[in-house]
Amino acid sequence: MTEYNEEEPHYLLDSNIVSEIIKPEPDFNVIKKIAEHNSDCAICSPVWQELLFGLYRMPEGHNKNYLEKFIKEDLHENFKIKSFTEKAADIQATLRSKLEKVGKPTQKEDSMIASIALANHMVLVTRNTKHFTAIKEVSDLQVENWFE
């Protein structure tokens, strides 16, 4: 059984969950779950990078300014950002090695996100559960889909 520290966030949100917050018509279940578990949620540095990359690719204008303020102020203020640490790097290397041996190599970013969740004893929340199926087969990764 994984140990859980009450003071640390329990859920690691993937970018497809976080981006739901800023949609004009977000999924009700996702918003409800984020509101329910707000102080218990975090994002990780690869997800932070994905959000910023999406922002920086946008054309200049009102929408980009609004989104930049939202991401850099609201999101950054409300969610801790978990880093890719040495422990996570070791876990990722192990995962990728195991998956390669069983003929199921995985996307580097997905294994990075999963390894951060594992290193911090967190549940990964994503809409793309299939991306993490193979990782779950060779690790203790817990995944939830708040769209369901």
Side-chain angles (χ1 to χ4, degrees):
M1 181 135 170
T2 31
E3 60 187 68
Y4 172 58
N5 179 347
E6 298 258 343
E7 294 172 21
E8 286 297 315
H10 185 63
Y11 297 102
L12 188 68
L13 307 182
D14 200 356
S15 52
N16 53 47
I17 299 296
V18 177
S19 63
E20 217 35 49
I21 300 169
I22 50 183
K23 288 185 175 176
E25 294 181 31
D27 182 274
F28 177 76
N29 287 334
V30 173
I31 299 304
K32 183 179 171 214
K33 285 283 209 176
I34 289 173
E36 247 174 64
H37 300 290
N38 194 10
S39 63
D40 207 17
C41 294
I43 59 177
C44 62
S45 50
V47 167
W48 182 245
Q49 181 277 141
E50 286 175 359
L51 293 169
L52 292 175
F53 178 62
L55 170 69
Y56 297 153
R57 290 174 50 201
M58 290 179 74
E60 294 301 323
H62 177 70
N63 285 345
K64 183 175 182 175
N65 294 340
Y66 168 78
L67 196 58
E68 183 168 17
K69 182 181 184 318
F70 177 77
I71 290 172
K72 290 187 175 180
E73 293 176 20
D74 298 339
L75 276 182
H76 197 267
E77 190 176 301
N78 287 303
F79 297 117
K80 283 186 179 179
I81 299 176
K82 295 292 187 180
S83 297
F84 186 68
T85 61
E86 285 181 47
K87 182 178 179 181
D90 190 308
I91 291 169
Q92 183 192 25
T94 303
L95 287 175
R96 292 182 71 205
S97 168
K98 285 180 179 179
L99 290 167
E100 195 174 85
K101 285 177 186 169
V102 296
K104 296 181 179 180
T106 188
Q107 191 182 35
K108 193 173 174 182
E109 290 78 10
D110 289 341
S111 64
M112 192 178 231
I113 292 167
S115 67
I116 294 169
L118 286 163
N120 291 283
H121 308 288
M122 298 174 80
V123 176
L124 175 60
V125 182
T126 184
R127 186 176 203 164
N128 300 329
T129 55
K130 287 181 183 175
H131 291 197
F132 299 95
T133 303
I135 294 171
K136 283 175 54 180
E137 291 172 9
V138 298
S139 73
D140 292 333
L141 182 67
Q142 296 176 53
V143 178
E144 289 185 13
N145 181 355
W146 286 356
F147 282 87
E148 296 175 341

